[in-house]
Amino acid sequence: MTEQSSLARRRFLQLVSGIGVSALAGCSLFDGPDSTDPTATPRPAPSGPADATATLRAASRTVQLSQKESTENWLYNGAFPGPEIRVAEGNVFEATVTNELPEGTTIHWHGIPVANAMDGVPNVTQQPVDPGRSFTYTFRAEPPGTYFFHSHVGLQLDRGLLAPLIIEESDPHVEYDREYTVVVDDFLDRAPQPLSSGGSGGGPMGGGGPGGRGGMMGGRRPPYAGLLINGHLPADPQRFDVQEGERIRFRFINASSATLFRVQLGGHPMTITHADGRPVEPVTANSFSFGSGERYDAIVEATNPGTWEMRATAVDGNEPPAKAIIAYDGSTSATPTAPSKSGSQLSYDDLVAVSPLDGIDGNPDRTFDLTLSAGGQSGEWLIDGQAYPDADSLHIREGEHVRVSMTNRSPVIHPMHLHGHFFQVKNAVKDTVVVPGHMGQVTFDFVADNPGSWLFHCHNLYHLEAGMARVVQYVK
């Protein structure tokens, strides 16, 4: 057993102490706490027949991205990225994953406030699905929006276990004629390995978030073999066909493990309509930056015929930008026109939720002031000086208005993600937010309305693996 798995097992034993055997038998740690357990009882997953189903196989497959680039990746149903799943709003969805990998795995439904037992966090909400075994996740598909799903075990996300999940609105608040899902990712051409937070090295450093600059120094970000849009390297770009006069909805997903991307389109501004799946008042920008785990929907008016380049540039890396082509029907241009380097860039200040969260007016019932930092030569990434899994849980009670304030004492950005809840940051409703480096500060508020034990962590996979996480635990 590795040191990391040993620590995870220790955390698992800490969480299950006082929990009945029946809970363990169902693979959910909090299905049936006994009368002495301080953990609040989570709401159950939906029961009865499902309205929509999916079958997923996690297995090793060879990925051929170009004539020169191929590698053995771990994939869902042999696809990279995995197969897009679409479910109608309000439907009960059931997904069965069969593990054909040499180690345990799970699926996390990123951004969706599922019942706790369905959240897919190993040793917190379930035990990993052993090789050769299956597990069925069930949840109601709500609220509508752009999400994705991925493994939450170790560094498996950076091996390719990721795919889009779209919950389709019964009544969209924006009009569009055509839509495309755009999965932006970083491509690792070998098995991922943990990185150290200590020492020094080259590369940019700085703050981050929409409109900011972020970076990692030395071993804080792997040297990626390339950057991808929908599994395509820039030498073989994805093509998005459009017709003049159409309104195109692009659903952008940053499914990367460690990259802050800046997205631009040649010849077209973008009207941002959703942030992390939740509707915002439409705001126009020429570019936006988003961290790992964030999503933006944008409407593009097809009013400038030609062939244009979509570009996703690593703000914190030096790889060539990921590219795609927007091609109008009838266009004869063979070379796409690149985006302009000028123009407005989206910031969090520009985002105003169509439906702000209820219950967060006035003073909070509970406040957490957290410090994000590197552990230096220890190789750890810390929250308040502690590295998960040997870290204190953050206790809250159902119905509370909770405020979380973060100060980043490291030189690099941290995209922080809260499971099981949406939160309000400034005037936007999100589930992932970038905390800038060099003493950057971010505060968000949420309502404790989904009992259970939920992971709160940096969505840079390597920071998470090195300890930048806590469990937010409901208590009675």
Side-chain angles (χ1 to χ4, degrees), residues 59-350:
S60 179
R61 296 288 187 272
T62 298
V63 175
Q64 187 79 38
L65 295 180
S66 69
Q67 291 182 345
K68 297 181 179 180
E69 295 286 353
S70 65
T71 188
E72 196 77 8
N73 272 23
W74 292 1
L75 310 176
Y76 294 126
N77 294 3
F80 183 55
E84 179 176 296
I85 293 176
R86 285 182 171 258
V87 187
E89 175 185 359
N91 277 2
V92 174
F93 174 64
E94 184 178 279
T96 299
V97 58
T98 298
N99 184 9
E100 298 178 2
L101 303 170
E103 63 187 47
T105 193
T106 67
I107 292 181
H108 169 57
W109 310 92
H110 183 103
I112 303 174
V114 298
N116 194 236
M118 299 292 108
D119 196 47
V121 179
N123 307 313
V124 176
T125 68
Q126 70 173 104
Q127 299 176 64
V129 183
D130 289 332
R133 303 295 295 273
S134 297
F135 186 88
T136 298
Y137 297 89
T138 305
F139 57 89
R140 191 171 299 279
E142 56 188 14
T146 300
Y147 305 96
F148 72 115
F149 60 96
H150 60 83
S151 169
H152 219 293
V153 172
L155 300 175
Q156 291 182 6
L157 170 61
D158 220 4
R159 302 200 74 163
L161 289 171
L162 59 101
L165 172 61
I166 310 300
I167 299 180
E168 298 180 316
E169 308 102 326
S170 57
D171 183 21
H173 88 291
V174 294
E175 295 183 357
Y176 57 95
D177 303 298
R178 192 191 302 228
E179 69 173 287
Y180 291 108
T181 302
V182 183
V183 179
V184 184
D185 195 10
D186 38 28
F187 170 56
L188 198 63
D189 59 355
R190 61 198 179 282
Q193 299 294 327
L195 301 176
S196 171
S197 67
S200 62
M205 297 186 298
R213 179 167 178 80
M216 301 183 190
M217 52 184 287
R220 291 164 169 92
R221 181 177 179 272
Y224 283 104
L227 304 178
L228 308 173
I229 289 179
N230 289 351
H232 290 254
L233 288 166
D236 178 31
Q238 170 93 45
R239 178 186 172 102
F240 298 118
D241 293 316
V242 303
Q243 293 183 355
E244 186 175 2
E246 285 184 325
R247 288 168 57 87
I248 315 300
R249 181 180 188 173
F250 288 103
R251 298 177 181 264
F252 294 96
I253 300 171
N254 186 341
S256 73
S257 293
T259 302
L260 176 74
F261 281 97
R262 184 185 182 196
V263 176
Q264 302 165 278
L265 305 184
H268 299 77
M270 295 175 284
T271 300
I272 306 301
T273 60
H274 297 73
D276 290 357
R278 309 305 301 132
V280 297
E281 299 292 346
V283 56
T284 299
N286 294 100
S287 68
F288 64 84
S289 293
F290 62 160
S292 301
E294 290 190 290
R295 292 93 61 211
Y296 285 109
D297 289 18
I299 297 293
V300 173
E301 302 271 1
T303 58
N304 195 2
T307 304
W308 302 91
E309 182 181 280
M310 174 187 291
R311 178 175 293 183
T313 305
V315 179
D316 46 5
N318 56 11
E319 302 90 352
K323 296 179 181 180
I325 295 173
I326 299 173
Y328 282 71
D329 287 353
S331 173
T332 58
S333 174
T335 303
T337 303
S340 169
K341 294 182 179 180
S342 61
S344 61
Q345 186 168 352
L346 186 76
S347 75
Y348 288 141
D349 290 332
D350 298 322

Side-chain angles (χ1 to χ4, degrees), residues 314-446:
V315 179
D316 46 5
N318 56 11
E319 302 90 352
K323 296 179 181 180
I325 295 173
I326 299 173
Y328 282 71
D329 287 353
S331 173
T332 58
S333 174
T335 303
T337 303
S340 169
K341 294 182 179 180
S342 61
S344 61
Q345 186 168 352
L346 186 76
S347 75
Y348 288 141
D349 290 332
D350 298 322
L351 301 175
V352 178
V354 170
S355 300
L357 291 184
D358 294 327
I360 60 169
D361 296 329
N363 295 323
D365 301 302
R366 193 176 299 268
T367 299
F368 297 101
D369 294 310
L370 305 177
T371 298
L372 313 179
S373 63
Q377 297 303 322
S378 72
E380 297 172 324
W381 288 93
L382 311 174
I383 298 178
D384 275 3
Q386 296 181 332
Y388 181 83
D390 286 346
D392 298 329
S393 297
L394 306 177
H395 289 172
I396 63 176
R397 288 185 171 84
E398 187 172 5
E400 289 184 328
H401 166 195
V402 182
R403 177 167 295 167
V404 178
S405 296
M406 297 170 287
T407 300
N408 184 1
R409 293 184 178 274
S410 76
V412 302
I413 66 143
H414 298 295
M416 302 300 294
H417 173 53
L418 175 63
H419 287 217
H421 304 76
F422 291 103
F423 52 72
Q424 189 154 322
V425 53
K426 297 183 182 292
N427 292 312
V429 175
K430 299 181 92 272
D431 57 66
T432 308
V433 63
V434 171
V435 185
H438 293 297
M439 301 302 293
Q441 295 182 318
V442 169
T443 295
F444 65 76
D445 293 69
F446 70 98

Side-chain angles (χ1 to χ4, degrees), residues 8-89:
R9 178 64 180 171
R10 190 187 320 160
R11 177 61 186 167
F12 173 78
L13 292 174
Q14 291 170 353
L15 286 170
V16 302
S17 60
I19 298 175
V21 174
S22 60
L24 292 175
C27 290
S28 169
L29 304 191
F30 304 109
D31 279 343
D34 63 25
S35 58
T36 63
D37 181 54
T39 305
T41 303
R43 59 179 171 84
S47 58
D51 302 301
T53 62
T55 300
L56 298 166
R57 292 186 177 275
S60 179
R61 296 288 187 272
T62 298
V63 175
Q64 187 79 38
L65 295 180
S66 69
Q67 291 182 345
K68 297 181 179 180
E69 295 286 353
S70 65
T71 188
E72 196 77 8
N73 272 23
W74 292 1
L75 310 176
Y76 294 126
N77 294 3
F80 183 55
E84 179 176 296
I85 293 176
R86 285 182 171 258
V87 187
E89 175 185 359

